[in-house]
Amino acid sequence: MSDTTNDIDGTGASDGTGGDAEGPSAEEPAELDGLAVDEAVERVRAREPDRDPETVRAALGFVAEDGVVSRTALRESLKLTSKVLTTAETRVELAGIALDDAREAAESAPDLPTVEARLADFAAEVAAVEDRAADLGSDLQSVVDDREDPAARFAVADGLRRVDERAREVQRTADEIQFDLEAFERWLDSHAVRVRELGEDLDALAASLDDLAAAVETLETGGDADARPDDPARAWFDATLSHRATGLTVADLRAELADLRTWADREDADPVDEGGLDDLAARLDDLDGRHGALGERLDAAAEPEWTDRFGEAVAAVESDLADCAPPVDWAVVQSTIEEHRDDSTSDA
């Protein structure tokens, strides 16, 4: 954990500039101490007019007491932010412990791609939030280093605001990961939970197909005046990308269904129970059929100018995702689609 708290009450002056790498320079006006926040905001913006006044106000709020900027308020805010940081670091440690617990629980599960992929995703999430937490301590220390310099008061305040916001976001992320890991352990432990969650995933797929069907119908008919797209070609392109992503969802769920069948066989669970794996398999077949029909309708609705404009981008997406097989790496899928969507926007 960070030991920044141990240095907050020091009194040594610093000749640093304050703030983290994203923060402002040390050229903000001095002598903000003793000013009302509104006056301090105006003084900062007189020197840096491009700064958003509400952002400046939020930063100065970290170094104000009873509406007045002061060194005393800064010292108290440093202590508070240090506690926020410590809490974030603790939650990240707990997420790491939860990951270790999940790995141990997974040792009793079958050696299946569905299990391995989920564990790998969690490991990547924990590693990422650990890296974010590790950066916070040094960023807060840079704020502490400049706390005694009145000329750096705004730089310190803004750096403090940034660290506080990021620490709270790290804490939220770590809490979410820990919650998801606990749910993963329940999934590992119960056939009924696995079946229920697969059913929920099919519900989400059905909702996505409903949205896609509405978009296709609008392209076919032109839609009502209120729903008619301003750019039908781009609406077709977006619907085509959604159709491709939804196809990967179908493949991913079919692979998971196969793994759950293998798992059920090994545990002598009954896949024929009402709402069980056999019912889910039939439902997935129906959704797969809907997906295929929507693809045919999208192709039929396409105007020549639409394909002339976006055909190469669609082909590029297909090429980039051609090797994307279950278990699907959804981060790769999302980044690929967004990249080509952005490229097509810039070329328009």
Side-chain angles (χ1 to χ4, degrees), residues 7-77:
D7 193 37
I8 285 177
D9 289 325
T11 57
S14 167
D15 59 357
T17 58
D20 56 26
E22 298 176 340
S25 70
E27 296 181 354
E28 62 275 330
E31 300 179 2
L32 296 180
D33 289 348
L35 296 180
V37 169
D38 287 344
E39 186 177 354
V41 169
E42 292 307 314
R43 183 169 292 189
V44 170
R45 294 192 69 242
R47 187 63 174 264
E48 301 181 60
D50 291 339
R51 282 193 172 275
D52 175 64
E54 292 308 313
T55 301
V56 175
R57 189 182 311 278
L60 291 174
F62 278 85
V63 293
E65 183 179 18
D66 296 329
V68 176
V69 175
S70 71
R71 178 174 175 275
T72 300
L74 167 62
R75 290 166 67 87
E76 291 303 312
S77 290

Side-chain angles (χ1 to χ4, degrees), residues 209 250 254 283-295:
L209 290 174
V250 172
R254 196 172 292 284
R283 188 177 174 204
L284 181 55
D285 287 341
D286 290 341
L287 293 172
D288 195 2
R290 283 188 65 194
H291 175 263
L294 286 170

